[in-house]
Amino acid sequence: MQQLKVYKFGGASVRDDVSLRQVASIIRSAATSPLVVVLSAMGKTTNALEKITDKVFVKEDPLPDIDHLYAYHLSICRNVFPPEHTVFRELDSHFSSLRSACITKQHLGYNALYDSLVSFGEKFSTCILHHFLLSNGIENNLLDSTELVKTDECFRAANVDWILTRVVIRKAINPSAPGIWVVQGFIGSSLTGQTITLGREGSDYSAAIYASALDAREVTIWKDVPGVLNADPAESTATVKFDRMPYQEALELAFYGAKVIHPKTIKPLENKNIELLVKPFSDPLAPGTLISSDPELYPQACSAIWKREQILFTLRPRDLSFISEAHVHGIMGALALLGIHQNLMQSSALHFSFCCDYRTDIVKEITEALGEAYHILHNQGLSLLTLRHFSEEDIQLHAASSALLMQQMSRVTYQALMKEMH
Ligand code: ADP
Ligand code: ASP
Ligand code: MG
């Protein structure tokens, strides 16, 4: 018996009946080893559920949006199941639970409400995939990640209780027995049974959680790209695919904002030396990118990562004192309390600057926290470029024509904050 593998499919891979068939065919070809299939919500379901959550929170009627989402799932099912199939009853029951939750959970705070409603997307998708695989003669067990992934109650970004999660997952899945297990990505539950989510795009992380708990041989995340590229193809037309990448490099790229892998995915895999493959969903035999303990990055191309919608704050002490360690300590402490992550910072004699992702009310939040001690200026509408393994030509190519507000470089990483050109 081969060692267990984990496959993760994202929303784009299950957005319609055609992609659902492709998922089934990929799973069929892997069926010789024990396999855990981690699935995201279908298409843009999570965005739709966020909108529903917002409506419930402000006491607007969410039912038209729920009906719309139901119609979308129903239309996929109608294309792949006969009319009397049991999947229709189960889907109905999930949607009834969502409608009830919109009433019974209405009293919760925003983040807890968000998790209890947004988590439904993965329940719909796994219910459909489970039945679709069965109807294609692929035996599989549908499990519930809210019973298997145990966390704290940090809603929308829950922290995994690794020891308990390992025990619970291993009770439900025997990694050395043949079989296919279908589970929801993105969701879990706290020790008191509250449903949680792991953060947007968190299904990649779920795949790593299952792989770690089961000491899997490898994880494959199936994407709409040929593998990890040296730039987001949505940003750049000329991209290079990496064939091999060390864990460390994948961590760095994810940290600086490469959206292809959720940043929390790599560490649990690295800890157990579990290989991560990023492969193209549309071409399963293509090699993709292998992320492993192999220290070689191949090819040695420069990576460019853009973080859009940045805001730069520049602080000057009102008492005209020099910027000291105590100032930096105070400013960083305030950011930590506000849950704001700085993406780039710089200090001079009288000024301390940092940039971060823009969010509504951020200027007010920073002013309230630091305005008494500092004059505060801000610039909005900025982009942060990060280059890894850069040369002078790479800087010229990406950053030369833009208005720079701040730049920094180490031997491996170059960063520049600039005005958005589009
Ligand atoms: P999924 O829903 O399957 O998790 P995502 O949309 O989250 O898929 O991730 C795939 C997307 O990541 C691609 O469509 C691509 O636009 C984007 N992306 C960003 N940076 C990179 C990169 N360096 N290499 C490949 N894709 C990238
Ligand atoms: N469905 C969730 C999201 O869209 C999780 C994921 O797809 O990874 O963020
Ligand atoms: Mg994703």
Side-chain angles (χ1 to χ4, degrees):
M1 172 59 56
Q2 287 186 324
Q3 219 181 325
L4 180 134
K5 292 204 252 184
V6 176
Y7 278 4
K8 180 261 169 175
F9 297 95
S13 313
V14 282
R15 68 170 188 274
D16 55 22
D17 54 312
V18 177
S19 41
L20 205 54
R21 288 181 214 282
Q22 176 72 347
V23 169
S25 123
I26 291 174
I27 292 174
R28 190 191 292 285
S29 343
T32 50
S33 351
L35 180 70
V36 171
V37 177
V38 177
L39 196 66
S40 296
M42 292 175 136
K44 303 282 177 212
T45 296
T46 304
N47 293 353
L49 286 164
E50 284 188 338
K51 204 168 142 210
I52 288 166
T53 304
D54 289 347
K55 288 204 166 167
V56 172
F57 192 67
V58 299
K59 310 225 168 6
E60 274 178 32
D61 182 9
L63 292 182
D65 297 81
I66 296 179
D67 289 348
H68 196 255
L69 199 56
Y70 180 50
Y72 164 63
H73 285 80
L74 214 51
S75 74
I76 294 176
C77 288
R78 285 194 179 123
N79 286 336
V80 294
F81 295 107
E84 298 306 320
H85 197 282
T86 173
V87 74
F88 291 102
R89 234 173 311 122
E90 289 187 20
L91 198 60
D92 265 2
S93 152
H94 281 305
F95 271 91
S96 298
S97 304
L98 171 61
R99 284 186 200 95
S100 319
C102 288
I103 297 161
T104 58
K105 307 283 181 185
Q106 208 175 20
H107 65 283
L108 293 176
Y110 184 80
N111 289 345
L113 175 71
Y114 177 104
D115 282 0
S116 60
L117 301 184
V118 172
S119 52
F120 273 92
E122 274 67 12
K123 293 184 191 158
F124 306 149
S125 64
T126 47
C127 164
I128 293 172
L129 181 70
H130 165 65
H131 285 295
F132 185 65
L133 293 177
L134 286 181
S135 68
N136 281 277
I138 305 173
E139 278 303 316
N140 71 95
N141 309 289
L142 175 60
L143 298 177
D144 183 348
S145 286
T146 62
E147 285 166 13
L148 303 181
V149 176
K150 304 305 290 181
T151 69
D152 64 8
E153 273 183 21
C154 182
F155 295 109
R156 298 183 67 185
N159 300 294
V160 175
D161 180 331
W162 289 96
I163 294 171
L164 183 57
T165 297
R166 181 179 170 92
V167 172
V168 179
I169 289 181
R170 290 181 87 92
K171 265 195 194 146
I173 299 174
N174 176 354
S176 42
I180 297 175
W181 293 269
V182 174
V183 296
Q184 303 80 26
F186 183 51
I187 68 174
S189 73
S190 71
L191 301 185
T192 63
Q194 302 273 357
T195 299
I196 60 79
T197 67
L198 300 166
R200 283 306 305 262
E201 303 296 333
S203 295
D204 294 345
Y205 183 36
S206 302
I209 296 168
Y210 279 97
S212 171
L214 294 165
D215 299 321
R217 173 160 60 105
E218 66 187 29
V219 174
T220 306
I221 49 183
W222 297 91
K223 296 270 173 182
D224 59 353
V225 279
V228 179
L229 308 171
N230 70 331
D232 185 343
E235 298 271 4
S236 165
T237 45
T239 52
V240 172
K241 178 186 75 79
F242 292 108
D243 297 341
R244 297 190 294 283
M245 175 174 283
Y247 291 121
Q248 292 295 328
E249 186 62 23
L251 262 173
E252 297 271 5
L253 293 183
F255 174 83
Y256 287 117
K259 291 191 205 89
V260 65
I261 307 170
H262 188 279
K264 287 186 175 172
T265 311
I266 310 294
K267 200 68 203 146
L269 301 181
E270 184 190 21
N271 287 347
K272 295 216 162 155
N273 208 6
I274 300 169
E275 294 185 340
L276 173 61
L277 282 152
V278 180
K279 300 237 293 175
F281 174 69
S282 58
D283 185 7
L285 296 178
T289 300
L290 173 63
I291 300 168
S292 71
S293 55
D294 178 347
E296 192 193 19
L297 175 69
Y298 183 83
Q300 278 282 336
C302 165
S303 291
I305 305 149
W306 288 95
K307 262 187 196 280
R308 305 290 182 189
E309 292 188 46
Q310 298 295 294
I311 180 164
L312 173 69
F313 289 95
T314 303
L315 279 55
R316 180 166 59 80
R318 286 189 186 275
D319 62 5
L320 279 183
S321 56
F322 291 136
I323 296 290
S324 67
E325 288 70 16
H327 288 109
V328 179
H329 184 253
I331 295 167
M332 289 298 121
L335 294 191
L337 283 177
L338 292 169
I340 294 172
H341 173 70
Q342 62 76 25
N343 296 324
L344 189 67
M345 60 182 171
Q346 218 163 61
S347 160
S348 68
L350 292 173
H351 294 96
F352 184 83
S353 303
F354 61 89
C355 85
C356 47
D357 298 348
Y358 178 79
R359 72 183 189 201
T360 316
D361 286 342
I362 192 164
V363 176
K364 189 163 156 256
E365 289 176 276
I366 296 285
T367 309
E368 278 173 8
L370 295 164
E372 211 175 297
Y374 299 93
H375 286 289
I376 303 176
L377 298 173
H378 69 272
N379 297 71
Q380 261 169 263
L382 308 179
S383 290
L384 178 63
L385 168 72
T386 303
L387 298 177
R388 295 271 303 160
H389 309 284
F390 63 95
S391 66
E392 197 46 50
E393 293 80 69
D394 295 313
I395 296 178
Q396 289 302 323
L397 180 70
H398 290 95
S401 61
S402 306
L404 294 187
L405 283 92
M406 206 154 106
Q407 61 181 329
Q408 238 169 57
M409 74 170 77
S410 68
R411 273 164 291 183
V412 184
T413 309
Y414 168 86
Q415 291 192 286
L417 186 67
M418 54 190 88
K419 277 215 177 309
E420 271 174 15
M421 306 303 278
H422 45 262

